[in-house]
Amino acid sequence: MNTRMGFFLLIVGLFWIKTYIAYQTEFTLGAKGNVQQFLLLINPLPAALLVFGIALYFRGRLAYWLMLIIDFLESTWIFANVVYYREFSDFLSFGIMKGSSDVQNNLGKSLAQITHLYDFFVYVDLVILIVLLLTHVIRIDPRPFKRRYALTISVLSFGLMFAEFGMANADRSGLLTRTFDNNYIVKYLGLNEYAAFNAYQTQKESATRASANASDMKSVLKYLKNNRVGPNVSYYGKEKGKNVFIIHLESFQQFLLDYKVDGKEVTPTLNKFYHNKNTLSFDNFYNQVAQGKTSDAEMMLENSLFGLPQGSAMTTYGTQNTFQAAPAILSQEGGYTTAAFHGDVPSFWNRDNTYKSWGYQYFFSSSYYTQKANYSVGYGLKDKIFLRDSAKYLEQLPQPFYAKLITLTNHYPYELDKKNVDFPATKTGDKTVDPYVQTAHYLDQAFAEFITYLKKVGLYKNSVILAYGDHYGISNNHRPAIAQLLGKKTVTSFDLAQFQKVPLMIHATGLKGGINHTYGGEIDVLPTLLDLLGVKNTNTVQFGQDLLAKNRNQTVAFRNGNFVSPTYTKIGGTVYDTKTGKVLKLTSAQKKTVDQLQNHVTTELSLSDRVIYGDLLRFYTPKGFKKVNKSSFTYKLKPAMERLADAEKKEKTSVLAKNDGKSTVSEYKTDAPELK
C-alpha cells in the first residue's frame, strides 16, 4: 500500500466493492442468469481503472489527491443515484439535472425527505483512506510512476470495456440502439458508462433539431395514416359545445378507488363519480410517464405525444417547439376559451413558456392566489384552498371553456398538517407509503367541494369533467408495502406493471357511462376527448387512439419499451399472460405476435421522439389549423386580468355575466380550517 500502484489498486478495489453493494441493495436491476450476474459483478471495474488511472499520469502528492477527488466525485454520483432511484425507480439524467431551477428546487425537497443516514456509506472508504494517509499508516510514494504503466492501465480499461460490451450485446442485442430502459444500461455496462451514454444522447438530441427537415415528417404521417382509427359513432359529437374541465389528480393511482382503511373509504366522492351512470370510467388505463412525471402526463394528455426517455420535454423543448395541442385545437375549432390553473410557481416544468406554445390564453398560477404560510404544503397551495380560490377566475371565463386544474396536495412526500388529517394512515411500516391515503382522502374532499360548487352555479350539467391520475404515487421500490396494500405476500414484476394503472373518468350529463375495460393510456386521451366533442382531428399529429373506437389497438406502450396488451404483458425479457399474470414460455406463433407488438411500441416511441427532438411540427400545419402565436399571450397578472375582463364583457357567456355580474364565489363552500 506504500507504493502508488498499491494505493491505486486499493482505492479501485474499494470502489468496485461499494458499487457492487449498491447495485445489489439499492437498485432493482433484475440481473438474471450467470451472464447477467457476471456482468453486474465486473462492470464497475473497467471505468474505475480508467478514471482512477488518470491520476497515475501525475507525480507525487498530486496523484494521491487526484485519486481521492475522483473517489469523492464517483461516490457522489453513486449517492445521488441511490437517493433518486429510491423514489423514481430511475437513474439521474442530464435532462433532469439541467431542468429549470424550480424543478430542481422541488426535486431537492423530495429527495431530502428520502435520504437515509446509511446512504452516506458510499463515502466510508474515502474517509478511511484519508485517515490512513493523514496518520501515515499509508505513506505517499514520491517516486515517479512510469508513463508506460499508466498507459497500459488505460489501454486495459478500454479493452475490458469493449469485452464487456461484446458480452452484453450478445446477451441483449441492440442494447444501446433499441432499449429505452436505463436499468439495462446500468445492469450490463455500469453507472459510469450510463452517464457517458446519457451525455452522448443529450448531445445528439440537441443536434437533431438543426439537421431536421420537412421530409422527416413523411414517415411520421405515413405511420399515423396507417394506424388511425375512426370514432365510435355512438359517442362522436355527443358532448359538442360543452365546457371541459380537466381535473389533474396528482399522484393518484387506480387502486385507491373503492379502497378501504379500517373499514373507511379512502375516496368516497371519487368512488361515486367513478361508478356514476353518466361517467365513462376506464379500469385498464395506465400512466405512461418517464422522468418528466407530471410534465410527461400533460404532454401526452394535451398533445398525444409521448414524454421523452430522459428529462422533461416541457422543460427542454416547451419554449422553442411547435405544437398542435388541445388548447389551440379547441380554441380554433370550437371557439373555446382556454385556461390552466396551478397553485405553484408558473416556471415549474417550464409551464409559463410551454403553455403559450400550446395555446393557453390564460394561466392562473401562484401570483393569482392569496399566499399565506399555512395555505401551502409541499409543492404549492393546498387543494381545498386552490380550488376554492380558482372559482373567482372560472366564473369569468367566457363559455365554452377548456379549463385544466392541477391539484398538488397528494404529491410526495404526502405531508399534511394535523388540522387537515381526519383519516387513518395505512400500517405497512413504510413511512413514505402510509400517509399516502391521508392526502388522497384530502384530495377527495377537495374534489367533492368543487363538484358541489359546479352544481350550484350550473356548470356541472353543461360540462365534460375529465378526471385522471397523472402517475404513480408509490414507486416500485416499495415492494413490501405494495404487497401489503394489495393483500399479497410478495409482488411480481407483473403486479408492479398493473400497479401503474391510474384512473380516467369522463363525466357529462346524459353521457352513456359505465366501466370500460379497453386497454389504453394517457397518450389516448386527446383523440378520445376531441371525438366526444365532435372536433375534427383527422389531420393533426396524434399517436393515441380514441379509447371508444371499436377497432383500436389496445397495446399500451411504456416509456422504457415495455408494454401491456389484453393478451400479453412484456416486462424486460419476460412475457406474461395478462389475464393470469403467469410467465409464458412462448410458442413460435406467440413469439411472432409478441415481436410484432414490440415493433409497434418501439416504432411509436421513436417516431414521437423524432417529432419532439426535431421539432417536426414546424414543417407540418394541418388544413384549418393555425400555428400558435406565442407572443400574443401574457400571463402577467394585470394585463391578463384586463384581457379576461374585456373578453367577459364582449362575450357575455360567462357564469358571472349570466348571474348579472354578481360573483358566485360565496356559493363555494369549503371546510378548509385555514379559511375560517
Side-chain angles (χ1 to χ4, degrees), residues 215-224 607 610 616:
S215 63
D216 294 329
M217 273 299 298
K218 291 181 180 179
S219 58
V220 175
L221 294 174
K222 181 180 179 181
Y223 172 84
L224 294 176
L607 287 176
R610 193 180 302 176
L616 298 187

Side-chain angles (χ1 to χ4, degrees), residues 84 88 92 96 102-112 379:
Y84 185 81
F88 301 103
L92 279 169
I96 286 293
D102 292 298
V103 173
Q104 293 168 346
N105 290 338
N106 279 301
L107 181 61
K109 293 177 186 177
S110 296
L111 296 180
Y379 283 67

Side-chain angles (χ1 to χ4, degrees), residues 157-439:
S157 67
F158 280 112
L160 288 174
M161 283 184 187
F162 285 120
E164 179 189 13
F165 179 74
M167 291 181 65
N169 203 53
D171 192 67
R172 177 71 178 179
S173 179
L175 176 64
L176 299 181
T177 57
R178 296 175 58 190
T179 183
F180 295 92
D181 192 341
N182 294 329
N183 283 283
Y184 281 101
I185 300 174
V186 174
K187 174 173 66 176
Y188 282 107
L189 302 181
L191 265 174
N192 281 312
E193 287 83 350
Y194 158 72
F197 180 66
N198 185 256
Y200 165 75
Q201 284 182 309
T202 303
Q203 186 279 329
K204 183 179 178 181
E205 290 161 10
S206 63
T208 300
R209 190 181 194 276
S211 61
N213 57 64
S215 63
D216 294 329
M217 273 299 298
K218 291 181 180 179
S219 58
V220 175
L221 294 174
K222 181 180 179 181
Y223 172 84
L224 294 176
K225 181 180 179 180
N226 292 337
N227 288 273
R228 199 178 295 276
V229 296
N232 187 326
V233 294
S234 299
Y235 286 96
Y236 185 82
K238 295 299 181 182
E239 309 307 322
K240 188 176 182 65
K242 286 189 176 182
N243 300 314
V244 176
F245 285 98
I246 304 294
I247 311 298
H248 178 108
L249 304 173
E250 175 63 44
S251 305
F252 196 97
Q253 292 180 240
Q254 176 76 12
F255 86 91
L256 286 169
L257 295 174
D258 297 327
Y259 193 79
K260 294 182 180 181
V261 177
D262 296 345
K264 299 178 181 179
E265 291 180 294
V266 177
T267 58
T269 302
L270 284 165
N271 294 345
K272 292 177 183 177
F273 191 78
Y274 180 77
H275 294 290
N276 189 289
K277 67 177 182 179
N278 297 132
T279 301
L280 273 168
S281 299
F282 297 86
D283 62 355
N284 288 312
F285 183 80
Y286 296 81
N287 90 75
Q288 298 169 284
V289 306
Q291 291 184 333
K293 296 297 185 287
T294 294
S295 67
D296 285 353
E298 290 190 67
M299 178 64 69
M300 287 183 280
L301 193 86
E302 302 196 85
N303 294 271
S304 201
L305 294 173
F306 287 96
L308 299 176
Q310 61 170 343
S312 162
M314 282 177 59
T315 299
T316 309
Y317 298 96
T319 303
Q320 65 184 18
N321 275 25
T322 301
F323 294 94
Q324 298 165 9
I329 294 172
L330 290 175
S331 175
Q332 295 181 28
E333 295 287 340
Y336 278 72
T337 305
T338 59
F341 299 75
H342 179 52
D344 198 3
V345 293
S347 56
F348 190 60
W349 289 129
N350 194 35
R351 287 188 175 99
D352 51 348
N353 293 306
T354 302
Y355 284 176
K356 291 176 183 177
S357 299
W358 291 359
Y360 269 114
Q361 297 161 340
Y362 304 97
F363 178 26
F364 304 101
S365 58
S366 56
S367 62
Y368 287 80
Y369 296 88
T370 302
Q371 300 289 334
K372 292 184 179 181
N374 63 344
Y375 280 17
S376 296
V377 64
Y379 283 67
L381 282 177
K382 296 173 184 174
D383 293 341
K384 289 182 180 180
I385 298 172
F386 163 66
L387 292 174
R388 184 259 188 189
D389 286 358
S390 295
K392 63 183 176 184
Y393 304 118
L394 279 170
E395 68 176 3
Q396 298 180 62
L397 294 179
Q399 301 184 68
F401 58 71
Y402 174 85
K404 177 173 66 174
L405 296 105
I406 303 173
T407 64
L408 287 170
T409 308
N410 193 46
H411 194 293
Y412 179 84
Y414 314 119
E415 296 175 319
L416 204 56
D417 50 280
K418 292 182 179 179
K419 290 183 179 180
N420 282 292
V421 175
D422 62 353
F423 196 81
T426 53
K427 300 177 179 65
T428 68
D430 188 319
K431 293 181 180 179
T432 298
V433 173
D434 287 338
Y436 178 57
V437 293
Q438 294 177 319
T439 51

Side-chain angles (χ1 to χ4, degrees), residues 28-43:
T28 308
L29 300 177
K32 298 177 181 178
N34 293 332
V35 173
Q36 292 184 17
Q37 288 291 352
F38 175 72
L39 288 171
L40 188 65
L41 172 64
I42 68 165
N43 81 37

Side-chain angles (χ1 to χ4, degrees), residues 439-494:
T439 51
H441 184 72
Y442 176 88
L443 168 57
D444 184 79
Q445 292 175 324
F447 181 78
E449 294 172 352
F450 185 71
I451 293 297
T452 299
Y453 168 75
L454 296 185
K455 290 179 178 178
K456 284 184 177 180
V457 300
L459 286 172
Y460 187 79
K461 64 182 179 181
N462 192 38
S463 300
V464 174
I465 302 170
L466 188 155
Y468 83 108
D470 62 336
H471 55 74
Y472 63 78
I474 302 171
S475 76
N476 290 347
N477 289 318
H478 300 277
R479 289 181 179 230
I482 293 171
Q484 291 185 58
L485 292 175
L486 299 179
K488 297 185 175 186
K489 292 183 179 180
T490 59
V491 287
T492 65
S493 295
F494 174 82

Side-chain angles (χ1 to χ4, degrees), residues 72-142:
F72 173 76
L73 295 174
E74 289 283 354
S75 300
T76 301
W77 177 237
I78 297 173
F79 175 85
N81 277 285
V82 164
V83 177
Y84 185 81
Y85 193 93
R86 181 171 295 135
E87 186 54 33
F88 301 103
S89 301
D90 203 351
F91 296 92
L92 279 169
S93 71
F94 289 98
I96 286 293
M97 290 187 286
K98 72 178 183 180
S100 71
S101 59
D102 292 298
V103 173
Q104 293 168 346
N105 290 338
N106 279 301
L107 181 61
K109 293 177 186 177
S110 296
L111 296 180
Q113 296 289 332
I114 55 175
T115 300
H116 299 157
L117 185 61
Y118 59 75
D119 294 333
F120 293 92
F121 162 80
V122 298
Y123 294 104
V124 169
D125 65 317
L126 180 63
V127 174
I128 292 173
L129 289 172
I130 291 174
V131 171
L132 291 176
L133 283 168
L134 292 177
T135 58
H136 303 294
V137 173
I138 295 179
R139 298 181 182 278
I140 292 176
D141 182 4

